[in-house]
Amino acid sequence: QVQLVESGGGSVQAGGSLRLSCRASSAYYYFNYCMAWFRQAPGREREGVAAIDNSGGTTYTDSVKGRFTISRDNSEKTVNLQMNSLKPEDTAMYFCAAHRAGSSAYCNIGTEFAYWGQGKQVTVSS
């Protein structure tokens, strides 16, 4: 069973930066996994933020393009989300997600993900 553990996040003023990291344990052939970040704000549906496939290809939701960067380190079995120029509307619980089919055809923010982390809060004040 793949376990995902997030770290990072926290509180920052608008315009600031935060970084989220997620480590996958018991993930054999991690290099082939599709990894992603989702977020959910109170009273809103969960939305896909960014995804990265097994070739390093990335997809982003429109609202974070140019501000957020997803990356992965296969040797460490981690995926990171660097968040710059943060806005109050970025405030949410952020979740790491994974599934085994990592090719670009099956890896984007609209994909169904099998494994989920517990979430990390990101709060951006104006």
Side-chain angles (χ1 to χ4, degrees), residues 5-64:
V5 179
E6 299 104 335
S7 60
S11 299
V12 69
Q13 288 192 324
S17 298
L18 288 171
R19 184 177 177 87
L20 292 167
S21 293
C22 171
R23 182 179 298 273
S25 61
S26 302
Y28 297 102
Y29 304 110
Y30 172 82
F31 61 87
N32 203 40
Y33 276 64
C34 173
M35 302 298 298
W37 289 95
F38 285 73
R39 66 186 179 187
Q40 187 166 21
R44 301 189 67 176
E45 290 189 359
R46 186 175 63 195
E47 68 165 337
V49 176
I52 185 165
D53 65 32
N54 58 4
S55 298
T58 57
T59 56
Y60 297 91
T61 191
D62 286 346
S63 63
V64 307

Side-chain angles (χ1 to χ4, degrees), residues 7-125:
S7 60
S11 299
V12 69
Q13 288 192 324
S17 298
L18 288 171
R19 184 177 177 87
L20 292 167
S21 293
C22 171
R23 182 179 298 273
S25 61
S26 302
Y28 297 102
Y29 304 110
Y30 172 82
F31 61 87
N32 203 40
Y33 276 64
C34 173
M35 302 298 298
W37 289 95
F38 285 73
R39 66 186 179 187
Q40 187 166 21
R44 301 189 67 176
E45 290 189 359
R46 186 175 63 195
E47 68 165 337
V49 176
I52 185 165
D53 65 32
N54 58 4
S55 298
T58 57
T59 56
Y60 297 91
T61 191
D62 286 346
S63 63
V64 307
K65 286 179 180 176
R67 300 188 298 120
F68 289 13
T69 302
I70 188 171
S71 62
R72 66 190 296 161
D73 184 334
N74 290 335
S75 65
E76 296 291 329
K77 294 186 179 181
T78 57
V79 61
N80 304 302
L81 186 68
Q82 179 65 42
M83 302 178 289
N84 299 328
S85 302
L86 281 160
K87 304 175 181 179
E89 51 264 43
D90 294 317
T91 296
M93 186 73 77
Y94 283 70
F95 299 89
C96 176
H99 73 75
R100 288 195 173 96
S103 66
S104 60
Y106 303 103
C107 182
N108 56 67
I109 56 175
T111 303
E112 187 85 14
F113 284 81
Y115 306 106
W116 293 86
Q118 294 296 309
K120 274 291 183 180
Q121 179 67 36
V122 169
T123 302
V124 185
S125 58

